[in-house]
């Protein structure tokens, strides 16, 4: 009911407060990916407080770019210049029970500042600035696609056509 006034950070908050905080795998609803990508991500994320799936390499202006310093995640934003990005966060994350509670607390802090239109990565970036360590897991060039437009849908169909 809050689509017109909130972004996906608020959606994640709603999901995290819907019940007791449990370990969670968080996937953007507009993401298409292979079963292998998901299985490898979940397996590699096991035991970490928080993990993000990242396609390392060149990005474009529209990508949710990832900043890394000394191998450590320092933030994610569309505002990071492509030349400074280590890659793109694809919209797939995993949080342990403690990690999920920490994400929820940081989202609540941002929402109390009326930052309703922020992306979920604003909370991740705030956490990283305070020393929280995210595990970054490469997609290893496994196919995935964010589908926002008709053109994206056609590209996804072409990308996955031979995988049916």
């Amino acid at each position: 009911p809050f689509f017109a006034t909130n972004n996906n950070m608020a959606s994640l908050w709603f999901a995290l407060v819907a019940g007791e905080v449990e370990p969670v795998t968080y996937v953007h609803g507009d993401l298409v990916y292979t079963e292998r990508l998901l299985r490898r991500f979940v397996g590699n994320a096991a035991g970490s407080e928080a993990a993000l799936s990242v396609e390392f390499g060149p990005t474009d202006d529209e990508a949710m770019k990832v900043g890394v310093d000394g191998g450590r995640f320092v933030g994610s934003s569309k505002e990071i210049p492509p030349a400074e990005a280590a890659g793109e966060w694809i919209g797939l994350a995993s949080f342990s029970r403690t990690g999920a509670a920490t994400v929820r607390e940081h989202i609540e802090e941002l929402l109390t500042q009326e930052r309703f239109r922020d992306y979920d990565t604003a909370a991740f970036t705030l956490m990283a600035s305070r020393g929280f360590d995210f595990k970054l897991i490469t997609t290893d060039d496994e196919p995935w696609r964010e589908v926002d437009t008709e053109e994206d849908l056609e590209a996804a169909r072409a990308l996955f056509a031979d995988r049916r």
Side-chain angles (χ1 to χ4, degrees):
F2 305 105
F3 174 79
T5 58
N6 292 282
N7 208 326
N8 62 12
M9 182 176 71
S11 298
L12 177 55
W13 179 82
F14 278 108
L16 293 174
V17 299
E20 276 196 43
V21 175
E22 296 289 334
V24 63
T25 299
Y26 170 60
V27 184
H28 286 176
D30 61 356
L31 185 64
V32 182
Y33 49 89
T34 64
E35 181 179 341
R36 180 180 169 160
L37 185 147
L38 181 61
R39 286 186 185 280
R40 289 178 54 224
F41 174 76
V42 170
N44 287 322
S48 62
E49 293 294 313
L52 304 174
S53 183
V54 177
E55 181 171 83
F56 290 97
T59 65
D60 60 28
D61 285 330
E62 181 59 23
M64 187 57 73
K65 295 168 283 297
V66 171
V68 174
D69 185 14
R72 185 178 172 278
F73 172 81
V74 295
S76 181
S77 169
K78 290 186 175 193
E79 309 312 314
I80 296 172
E84 296 175 18
E88 176 177 2
W89 178 53
I90 72 167
L92 173 59
S94 176
F95 305 105
S96 70
R97 181 183 301 241
T98 303
T102 304
V103 170
R104 185 183 69 201
E105 291 166 7
H106 283 79
I107 291 174
E108 287 172 358
E109 180 180 338
L110 294 170
L111 291 176
T112 59
Q113 297 169 15
E114 299 186 8
R115 293 177 56 180
F116 306 122
R117 299 295 300 163
D118 280 6
Y119 290 104
D120 42 20
T121 54
F124 307 161
T125 300
L126 180 59
M127 291 166 61
S129 75
R130 294 177 173 166
F132 192 92
D133 192 27
F134 284 82
K135 182 174 186 178
L136 301 180
I137 300 171
T138 181
T139 60
D140 280 331
D141 296 322
E142 193 64 27
W144 66 276
R145 184 76 186 199
E146 178 183 16
V147 178
D148 291 325
T149 65
E150 295 253 351
E151 293 79 21
D152 292 343
L153 180 58
E154 289 306 314
R157 285 181 173 146
L159 181 63
F160 290 96
D162 64 339
R163 297 184 172 270
R164 292 183 194 180

